[in-house]
Amino acid sequence: MADVANAYRYPSPSSPEWLNKGDNAWQMTAATLVGLQSMPGLVILYASIVKKKWAVNSAFMALYAFAAVLICWVLVAFRLAFGEELLPFWGKGNVALGQEYLLQRAAVRESRNYYEEGRIEQPFFPMATLVYFQFTFAAITTILLAGSVLGRMNIKAWMAFVPLWLIFCYTVGAYSLWGGGFLYRWGVIDYSGGYVIHLASGISGFTAAYWVGPRLKADRERYVPNNILLMLAGAGLLWMGWSGFNGGAPYAANIISSIAILNTNISAATSLLVWTSLDVFYFGKPSVIGAVQGMITGLACITPGAGVVQSWAAIVYGMLSGSIPWYSMMMLHKKSTLLQKVDDTLAVFYTHAVAGILGGLLTGLFAHPTLCSMMLPVKGTKGAFYGGGILFVKQLVAALFIIGWNFIATTVILLLIRLLIPLRMPEEHLMTGDDAVHGEEAYALWGDGEKYDSAKHGWHNPAHPEELAQTSHFNGARGVTIDL
């Protein structure tokens, strides 16, 4: 035992004195959990929730985004979002690849010390851990946005769009609220991405859906998931991964991390139950897809306040996130010409933008003074229910900034891409789906990659006269009943 103790007693080149192995292990675990939400979580969810003809394309859009965001992140975007200040809403872009940079102790401007003294706070893990942790947030934001344009966006246009949106949209919100930018210094609370991630992806997705145009009429009218059980597997990864999403935000395995994880799960469960109850009350039956949407709105809604509100408030978050986005999707959508005109494939606007801004405003009401004092820069920060009405105003102004920036920047990016690449697939590709776009299909149901050919695979095939002779009557559309 003494040898084991001595092994951890003195620092080594790979374990400097400032390194806290517990914090570093938790931060890397949290990053992995967030990464699993995208790969394979959203890849599976997207591939399963769309029509069969779009399963490959939808999965590939998520897969490509995850890889492309990582390379852009380490080349320039990380330091745009978390580097030295260039503008009040943007950092100085640079690479995050050299070992001298990555092996040094992490540094974040999102701290009280930076606000009061200009001194950058340093968590007890290396910069490499911080770079990867924040990458997983950037990746999932881009993939969430993709949900709005599934089933018709030109894959080449998407490949061009991802790096441009990351650099000119995501990094601005991230720096403003998390990188020590003007909204953070003003005292706005976005604990783990209600604005940076959910509001941004919902608004940008809705904007992109408008410019790309709608799916085919046949796809819009009947867009049945091809595998609901597999969709639930993807949704489960999304839910469980959220413990890393909100639990890793304090950059330490501390008590704020613990309360954030508990609040996250309380809100998700409450929202799912409320959404399901509303489905039963209005439509007479519970919907599995509706339950997943309720789960997602509960997770998105609690995110901006997960670590700064009490757990009873998390139930309030869940009740409202299970009802207000439900109303906006099921009722308000049918009454609004604009909302019906924009074809948001997976309703990202409702499940993320509406839920995200709702959570941000609720944080302006419920942020608890004691919890706020543990991690926020502005002393005396508290929600309106505790006498801090100004926080609600700040939350509203920050939401308007994120909405405006993402709408304008996304529009400019897409219009520039449209000059070189059509945003929408050709009509013949829209009719066929994956086989036309990728030369691949999700399921090989007949032999080794063969398509079903009634002349070749059907019971009436002349090559099988003995089967025809045994057949006395057909029963149903898919096969025969044989009388022996």
Side-chain angles (χ1 to χ4, degrees):
M1 292 297 293
D3 291 339
V4 174
N6 287 333
Y8 291 92
R9 184 175 179 184
Y10 301 105
S12 70
S14 63
S15 299
E17 290 183 343
W18 50 261
L19 179 67
N20 183 302
K21 291 186 172 71
D23 283 350
N24 192 36
W26 166 239
Q27 210 64 35
M28 289 190 291
T29 301
T32 302
L33 287 170
V34 180
L36 286 171
Q37 290 182 289
S38 298
M39 283 290 300
L42 286 174
V43 170
I44 293 174
L45 192 151
Y46 283 7
S48 307
I49 202 171
V50 298
K51 295 180 75 171
K52 184 179 78 71
K53 74 173 185 177
W54 293 118
V56 172
N57 182 256
S58 301
F60 181 76
M61 287 178 71
L63 176 66
Y64 166 80
F66 193 81
V69 167
L70 176 55
I71 300 306
C72 294
W73 192 247
V74 296
L75 288 177
V76 67
F78 171 75
R79 294 175 78 168
L80 283 172
F82 294 94
E84 298 178 4
E85 181 173 318
L86 174 66
L87 298 169
F89 54 86
W90 226 8
K92 296 179 181 178
N94 207 335
V95 296
L97 288 170
Q99 72 174 28
E100 290 184 2
Y101 181 76
L102 295 175
L103 297 184
Q104 68 179 337
R105 186 173 173 181
V108 295
R109 289 167 172 77
E110 185 185 5
S111 66
R112 181 183 295 108
N113 292 335
Y114 179 71
Y115 178 79
E116 294 178 350
E117 308 167 17
R119 180 164 55 89
I120 298 174
E121 188 166 302
Q122 294 185 283
F124 296 99
F125 51 78
M127 186 63 79
T129 300
L130 180 62
V131 170
Y132 184 73
F133 177 74
Q134 288 296 344
F135 147 69
T136 59
F137 284 79
I140 197 172
T141 309
T142 314
I143 295 171
L144 290 174
L145 189 163
S148 293
V149 292
L150 297 180
R152 81 279 200 178
M153 187 170 185
N154 186 339
I155 191 64
K156 295 177 182 178
W158 174 248
M159 293 171 72
F161 175 79
V162 167
L164 293 174
W165 189 85
L166 173 72
I167 291 170
F168 294 103
C169 278
Y170 181 82
T171 58
V172 170
Y175 186 86
S176 299
L177 284 158
W178 291 346
F182 76 105
L183 292 177
Y184 181 78
R185 294 197 296 268
W186 193 33
V188 175
I189 301 175
D190 187 10
Y191 173 81
S192 192
Y195 287 175
V196 176
I197 294 173
H198 300 294
L199 183 57
S201 62
I203 295 299
S204 289
F206 189 80
T207 305
Y210 172 81
W211 288 111
V212 173
R215 290 165 289 170
L216 292 177
K217 184 179 180 181
D219 283 349
R220 293 191 71 178
E221 291 176 347
R222 185 164 178 77
Y223 204 71
V224 181
N226 69 83
N227 195 325
I228 287 183
L229 296 181
L230 201 57
M231 178 197 74
L232 285 174
L237 287 167
L238 196 65
W239 187 345
M240 292 300 99
W242 225 282
S243 291
F245 200 102
N246 288 345
Y251 298 135
N254 58 23
I255 58 176
I256 291 293
S257 179
S258 298
I259 196 70
I261 291 175
L262 178 61
N263 287 346
T264 297
N265 287 273
I266 289 174
S267 176
T270 304
S271 184
L272 185 154
L273 296 176
V274 170
W275 192 294
T276 300
S277 299
L278 289 170
D279 278 348
V280 171
F281 182 79
Y282 280 92
F283 306 120
K285 62 184 68 174
S287 164
V288 175
I289 299 174
V292 170
Q293 290 170 326
M295 175 204 83
I296 292 172
T297 56
L299 292 167
C301 185
I302 192 62
T303 294
V308 296
V309 300
Q310 297 187 79
S311 293
W312 63 261
I315 295 179
V316 178
Y317 275 71
M319 293 174 65
L320 294 175
S321 66
S323 55
I324 293 177
W326 180 93
Y327 176 80
S328 68
M329 184 188 302
M330 302 299 180
M331 303 297 176
L332 186 62
H333 177 86
K334 298 176 182 178
K335 301 176 182 179
S336 171
T337 304
L338 173 62
L339 294 177
Q340 291 184 59
K341 183 178 180 180
V342 178
D343 180 20
D344 182 356
T345 307
L346 299 186
V348 177
F349 175 78
Y350 303 105
T351 56
H352 292 277
V354 174
I357 193 171
L358 175 63
L361 297 179
L362 288 174
T363 301
L365 299 177
F366 291 106
H368 193 275
T370 302
L371 295 170
C372 289
S373 67
M374 293 182 181
M375 61 176 297
L376 298 176
V378 179
K379 290 182 178 179
T381 299
K382 53 189 175 182
F385 282 6
Y386 301 97
I390 187 63
L391 179 61
F392 183 84
V393 176
K394 292 179 180 180
Q395 298 294 110
L396 178 59
V397 172
L400 294 175
F401 171 76
I402 295 296
I403 291 170
W405 183 273
N406 279 273
F407 171 75
I408 295 171
T410 302
T411 295
V412 172
I413 291 169
L414 287 169
L415 292 180
L416 289 175
I417 292 174
R418 193 171 69 175
L419 296 175
L420 301 174
I421 307 171
L423 298 179
R424 183 180 165 88
M425 295 181 192
E427 291 296 313
E428 57 270 22
H429 287 189
L430 293 175
M431 291 291 294
T432 305
D434 290 336
D435 191 34
V437 180
H438 300 281
E440 299 166 320
E441 292 186 340
Y443 309 109
L445 299 179
W446 298 93
D448 186 15
E450 298 176 286
K451 292 183 180 179
Y452 173 71
D453 183 344
S454 59
K456 181 177 181 181
H457 299 110
W459 285 97
H460 59 278
N461 187 349
H464 303 286
E466 69 281 1
E467 293 168 351
L468 288 173
Q470 292 175 347
T471 303
S472 62
H473 64 276
F474 287 88
N475 182 17
R478 295 188 61 187
V480 299
T481 299
I482 302 175
D483 291 339
L484 299 176

